[in-house]
Amino acid sequence: MKLEDAFFNWLQMKIVSEARPDDRAAEDTRLFFEEILREDHSVTSYQITDDDSKIVITYQIGEEVKKLQFEKENAEQLLTDINSNPIYNQ
């Protein structure tokens, strides 16, 4: 899995798990993507900043610090989809 995909999937699951704290599957999936970031991509730290339209992840691999940027609407789409599906909201 590419680094950008791993971060995007992790970000989506972070958003879902924070909005749905009782959703154990969301939390487990978030932790799975954290493991991929650490083990497959050697990410040692990361932080998130956001504004009205973008989410920026600043991360470190070794001594190198880099940034990824995602559209906030895209990152929040999974949560929107889950919340709009009655099967997940019983």
Side-chain angles (χ1 to χ4, degrees):
M1 175 180 297
K2 294 187 326 185
L3 176 66
E4 185 172 336
D5 293 339
F7 261 122
F8 183 72
N9 290 329
W10 169 81
L11 178 60
Q12 284 189 311
M13 295 316 303
K14 179 179 180 340
I15 291 168
V16 170
S17 65
E18 287 177 352
R20 300 170 57 94
D22 295 332
D23 186 338
R24 184 67 194 161
E27 179 64 10
D28 289 346
T29 306
R30 181 189 65 81
L31 293 171
F32 170 73
F33 284 111
E34 282 185 8
E35 185 176 325
I36 289 173
L37 291 168
R38 279 191 315 273
E39 294 183 7
D40 294 357
H41 298 287
S42 302
V43 174
T44 56
S45 65
Y46 45 86
Q47 66 181 27
I48 297 174
T49 55
D50 65 59
D51 60 28
D52 291 336
S53 64
K54 305 249 186 254
I55 297 175
V56 177
I57 300 175
T58 304
Y59 64 96
Q60 186 169 350
I61 298 175
E63 297 298 317
E64 193 170 3
V65 176
K66 296 183 178 183
K67 292 184 180 191
L68 283 173
Q69 181 172 290
F70 300 102
E71 295 292 326
K72 194 170 191 175
E73 183 177 344
N74 293 342
E76 293 173 343
Q77 187 62 50
L78 179 59
L79 178 60
T80 301
D81 293 346
I82 289 169
N83 287 338
S84 67
N85 190 333
I87 196 169
Y88 299 115
N89 297 297
Q90 299 177 357

